[in-house]
Amino acid sequence: MRYDIVIIGGAIVGSSVAYYLREEGFSGSIALIERDPQFAHAATTLSMASIRQQFSIPENIRLSQFTLNLFRRLKETFGIDADIGFREGGYLILAGEAGLPILKANHEAQIAEGADILLEDADQLAKRFSWLSTEGISAGAFGRTGEGWFDAHAMLTLFRKALRDRQIDFIAADVTGIERQVNRVTSVSLDNGERLEAGIVVNATGPNAGKVAGLAGLALPVEPRKRNVFVFEAREKYADMPLLVDPSGIYVRPEGSVYLTGGAEPEEGDGPADPRDFDVDWPLFEDVIWPVLATRIPAFEAIKPTRAWAGHYDYNTLDQNAVIGPHPEVGNFIFANGFSGHGLQQAPAVGKALAELLVHGGYRTVDCSAFGYERVAEGRAFRELNVI
Ligand SMILES: Cc1cc2nc3c(=O)[nH]c(=O)nc-3n(C[C@H](O)[C@H](O)[C@H](O)COP(=O)(O)OP(=O)(O)OC[C@H]3O[C@@H](n4cnc5c(N)ncnc54)[C@H](O)[C@@H]3O)c2cc1C
């Protein structure tokens, strides 16, 4: 069997690439290969499902803005019943004295991109959010509009449903080999013994992307990093509460009648996770998260976790930023990887960008050249400073 394009990984990034390929008029054959069709272990379904404009790099802001615009015209795009429960609750990113210069520089970059972010000092924040303790806080950046959270399952389902009548072959299998002849990949091998010839291969395998690139003999610094999310109840309900990010990196946001929190793992240096390890590290709640929450929101002194889950970030160890586009030498191997915790919100934009590249030969909507593999080959970091 031969396909013009084989996409490995059928969660949000793979599905988005397939969707936009058809939207951009690609009429060739497409296979979407997924080894976990229930998406039990995909980053997509285990994520915090939040979207923000508060990045340090203009390209990241633009990718999120594309997705935001899609969310705002979801029904026009996917039909009248389309609903992903988008709540535009905002982000509030807090900084102490040490983090203030970075917060200010990021804010300037965001404003320059048209993002609706307010920079407020501690007094202003205390007035705006009565439940907040500004102890040790110099300022905070608050996304008044254009930021919030949504239902990741619903978003994935929307894209997957939209693919049904677009002549995509869904294949439930594990890609165990990628054959390459010098500067072209030629086929992929599946765990069921089949081999599919491929004109182009797209790597959309999330935290497994480094390993899958390795099957083609290509180095990609992307590895799984475990991240825990805890659900807790509190007596107090704060309708105006945004997704709050403490200077310690601990974050918290409302989710219906409960709250979600996480961010207890060190940003760098925690090492790759065992790809099969989805056990919750419960002590992180008691030892790391709860003391921070109780200080920042005094009413959260009395809270109790009700459940939790762990997922894996698709962590780019070079610079915590996506790698997008073709390999410079093996030009028919395409990367859509390494989103490092912000890939769900970038997936629609990246799908669109890669479809433009593959169909029209260049980026049209969001220029993703800066995310290209060239920097990986050169060991040159394109660092996103606002990694949550
Ligand atoms: C706890 C947590 C919180 C997060 N919070 C956010 C957030 O708030 N906002 C945000 O934007 N992002 C967030 N992210 C990141 C985001 O979830 C990911 O960046 C994004 O989902 C990546 O999508 P993907 O489709 O590339 O990867 P995945 O969703 O992991 O999908 C990859 C798919 O590839 C399949 N696959 C892998 N290897 C093979 C193979 N060899 N053969 C066949 N199939 C294969 C897998 O089964 C999987 O379904 C979070 C992630 C985690 C873990």
Side-chain angles (χ1 to χ4, degrees), residues 1 45 80 107-108 132 152 196 225 265 297 308 318 339 371 374:
M1 189 76 187
T45 48
I80 193 74
H107 179 249
E108 274 169 32
L132 180 73
L196 308 176
R225 292 273 175 108
E265 300 81 5
I297 304 169
L318 175 67
F339 298 99
F371 294 107
E374 290 74 7

Side-chain angles (χ1 to χ4, degrees), residues 8-15 33-37 39 41-51 91 150 173-176 204-209 212 215 225 227-229 243 251 309-314 336-337 339-347 388:
I8 313 174
I12 196 63
V13 171
S15 296
I33 309 178
E34 173 54 54
R35 66 179 181 185
D36 170 23
F39 300 105
H41 293 124
T44 296
T45 48
L46 296 172
S47 93
M48 280 282 295
S50 307
I51 179 167
Y91 271 60
F150 53 94
D174 192 354
V175 171
T176 51
T205 55
N208 198 34
V212 168
L215 295 177
R225 292 273 175 108
R227 295 292 182 264
N228 295 267
V229 179
L243 191 157
Y251 60 78
W309 72 85
H312 294 153
Y313 268 18
D314 39 2
N337 308 120
F339 298 99
S340 307
H342 43 270
L344 190 61
Q345 65 197 280
Q346 296 192 332
I388 296 171

Side-chain angles (χ1 to χ4, degrees), residues 20 69 113 261 269 335 347 360:
Y20 282 107
N69 289 332
E113 293 299 319
T261 183
F335 299 97
H360 310 298

Side-chain angles (χ1 to χ4, degrees), residues 352-384:
K352 170 88 167 161
L354 283 178
E356 289 172 351
L357 185 72
L358 294 174
V359 175
H360 310 298
Y363 297 121
R364 291 180 170 183
T365 308
V366 179
D367 185 355
C368 288
S369 322
F371 294 107
Y373 185 89
E374 290 74 7
R375 79 181 195 282
V376 175
E378 293 162 14
R380 178 172 42 82
F382 180 49
R383 198 171 287 280
E384 171 55 53

